[in-house]
Amino acid sequence: MAAKPKRCEVSVVGLVCAALLSVSGLTTASDLTWDENGYVLYCPCMGRFGNQADHFLGSLAFAKALNRTLAVPPWIIYRHHAPPYTNVHIPYSEYFKLEPLKQYHRVVSLEDFMVHLAPTHWPQGRRTAYCFESAVQRSSDKKSCPMKDGNPFGPFWDHVGVDFDHSVPFGGLSFSSYYIPHWIKRFPPAEHPVLAMPGAPAQFPVLEEHISLQRYVVWADMMVEDGEKHIVTLLPRPYVGIHLRIGSDWQNACKLLQSGEAGPHFMASPQCVGYDRQTALPLTFTMCLPDLKEILRAVKLWVKKTKAQSVYVATDSESHSADIEKAFKGKVKVVSLRPDVAQLDLYILGQADHFIGNCVSSFSAFVKRERDVHDRPSSFFGMDYPGKKKKDEL
């Protein structure tokens, strides 16, 4: 039996510790058998955690549709502003439990796949990359899939320990359900046992039919323990959780709404304006980038409705904690942790008595999906009652 691993703290040092422990022998070769139906591998190389989470749900559904095991990749955390000043690859199981995913479909961690299965069944010399023909045009030789070109692609596959020996470009396919029979016919597992792709075989934002898969994304015990400790010690209930996405990069993105370059469907906005492009509600600039007036208005509304005793602020920039405290004359406690591990923010927001998110943000979308699973109420800045036009809210 493998030795019990040491416990890592939820911190930057813990992230590195967790990555090292992920291949420390928690799974043995005897625990895994090769799936003759094949595997799906991919790099979660588009965006930060919220985008990666959207893509993960779609990739899980894609693997199930093909009846292939999904090799669950690590999360890519970008630490270029703080030690270790590079990408950190965090095993899925450091934040979430792997076992609940198996209630939906077969999965294995990518770390275990590489350690226990790849040496025998997908050895060096037989590692084939699969990509769209358009991607091949970006490669230096115009023949190979650019699996390791640039960051985060190169660092990801280097971390996993993979160099690709061959490439199979394809066209006339997409990742929608309509093309599943074509995937199965073109790439039978007997001839193509491992479909390794440069990006997630999924669409962004997550498709409406895949939102319910969030129920299988269950927090790891360590995350629950750390999150509950902070809630109990810092946040008198009831509490309202808010997500402020107001940093400079986000301000530039939201300007696309003002210029008309972006419409109602902008990044994660289908979560609040609706997925049907024909009936989508208007997406306002305030919904994308709420100003202080809107932030205070929404917080006051939901603090009053929930009789909240505290407010938790997760932010990528200014927390406006002092402004919120002043609005309530110090009678409501305001907390903003700015944790090294953003998933702690996600957990605390998910447990709030009410959540106010950003309609366009995939980070908020993760919280909204989790809360929907547990029937917890949510709203958005600029939209107090999701799915209803402003006049319907009055």
Side-chain angles (χ1 to χ4, degrees):
M1 180 180 294
K4 185 177 181 180
K6 295 180 180 179
R7 185 181 184 278
C8 290
E9 298 299 324
V10 180
S11 65
V12 175
V13 174
L15 294 178
V16 179
C17 173
L20 292 174
L21 289 180
S22 68
V23 292
S24 61
L26 301 183
T27 301
T28 64
S30 61
D31 295 328
L32 298 174
T33 56
W34 180 254
D35 184 357
E36 297 294 341
N37 294 300
Y39 292 79
V40 172
L41 275 62
Y42 74 92
C43 172
C45 287
M46 197 278 278
R48 293 185 285 186
F49 178 83
N51 294 33
Q52 293 176 42
D54 269 44
H55 270 163
F56 173 70
L57 297 184
S59 300
L60 184 62
F62 180 76
K64 181 178 177 66
L66 294 186
N67 194 30
R68 289 172 174 262
T69 294
L70 178 66
V72 179
W75 306 104
I76 301 178
I77 308 298
Y78 298 96
R79 300 292 307 183
H80 295 267
H81 63 289
Y85 302 109
T86 187
N87 301 356
V88 179
H89 301 86
I90 306 300
Y92 179 90
S93 58
E94 289 303 315
Y95 297 149
F96 307 100
K97 296 179 180 179
L98 201 63
E99 285 302 312
L101 297 175
K102 297 177 182 178
Q103 298 174 25
Y104 174 73
H105 186 57
R106 304 185 305 279
V107 297
V108 61
S109 73
L110 182 54
E111 294 83 2
D112 283 338
F113 175 86
M114 291 305 303
V115 170
H116 301 296
L117 297 174
T120 300
H121 302 280
W122 196 54
Q124 293 181 13
R126 288 165 47 190
R127 294 176 176 174
T128 300
Y130 297 79
C131 67
F132 288 102
E133 292 171 346
S134 57
V136 170
Q137 299 305 311
R138 300 197 304 268
S139 66
S140 57
D141 63 4
K142 308 298 182 183
K143 298 178 182 179
S144 305
C145 293
M147 299 292 284
K148 302 180 72 172
D149 287 4
N151 184 31
F153 303 94
F156 175 83
W157 292 112
D158 284 342
H159 169 77
V160 176
V162 172
D163 287 311
F164 292 95
D165 307 295
H166 313 283
S167 291
V168 175
F170 56 82
L173 294 173
S174 82
F175 301 125
S176 69
S177 58
Y178 173 82
Y179 286 95
I180 293 301
H182 300 276
W183 280 96
I184 294 173
K185 182 178 180 180
R186 189 176 300 189
F187 301 116
E191 300 173 26
H192 305 271
V194 178
L195 294 181
M197 303 184 190
Q203 298 181 46
F204 178 83
V206 61
L207 295 178
E208 187 173 20
E209 57 261 38
H210 299 155
I211 290 175
S212 63
L213 299 185
Q214 185 74 33
R215 72 181 67 246
Y216 302 106
V217 181
V218 179
W219 288 105
D221 292 340
M222 187 176 73
M223 292 300 304
V224 173
E225 179 184 337
D226 199 54
E228 290 299 322
K229 179 182 67 176
H230 283 87
I231 292 171
V232 170
T233 57
L234 298 175
L235 293 165
R237 284 191 183 274
Y239 76 90
V240 171
I242 71 173
H243 174 219
L244 299 183
R245 187 74 164 92
I246 53 177
S248 58
D249 64 325
W250 195 254
Q251 293 174 30
N252 291 331
C254 292
K255 288 178 182 177
L256 296 175
L257 282 171
Q258 289 182 316
S259 66
E261 295 177 65
H265 278 189
F266 183 42
M267 292 190 272
S269 69
Q271 67 174 324
C272 60
V273 303
Y275 273 83
D276 189 333
R277 291 182 179 274
Q278 302 302 316
T279 60
L281 300 176
L283 177 63
T284 66
F285 184 75
T286 296
M287 292 162 70
C288 187
L289 188 67
D291 57 17
L292 180 57
K293 180 180 179 181
E294 167 59 18
I295 293 169
L296 293 178
R297 182 204 66 79
V299 172
K300 286 179 180 178
L301 172 67
W302 291 108
V303 164
K304 180 179 180 180
K305 283 183 175 291
T306 61
K307 297 181 172 58
Q309 300 298 305
S310 57
V311 173
Y312 183 76
V313 183
T315 181
D316 65 337
S317 180
E318 171 62 47
S319 70
H320 290 301
S321 294
D323 298 300
I324 298 172
E325 287 179 344
K326 183 179 179 181
F328 293 102
K329 300 178 180 179
K331 296 180 180 180
V332 173
K333 185 177 182 181
V334 181
V335 177
S336 184
L337 291 178
R338 297 177 180 268
D340 284 341
V341 179
Q343 285 68 26
L344 181 59
D345 271 343
L346 288 172
Y347 180 84
I348 295 174
L349 293 175
Q351 301 302 310
D353 295 278
H354 187 86
F355 169 62
I356 310 172
N358 184 299
C359 168
V360 183
S361 165
S362 59
F363 192 88
S364 281
F366 182 94
V367 179
K368 175 66 162 57
R369 289 195 301 269
E370 183 191 11
R371 294 179 64 83
D372 286 350
V373 168
H374 299 287
D375 294 320
R376 296 177 185 136
S378 303
S379 62
F380 299 97
F381 291 108
M383 183 178 279
D384 297 329
Y385 300 95
K388 297 182 180 181
K389 294 182 179 178
K390 192 70 176 178
K391 65 181 181 181
D392 296 330
E393 296 179 4
L394 301 178

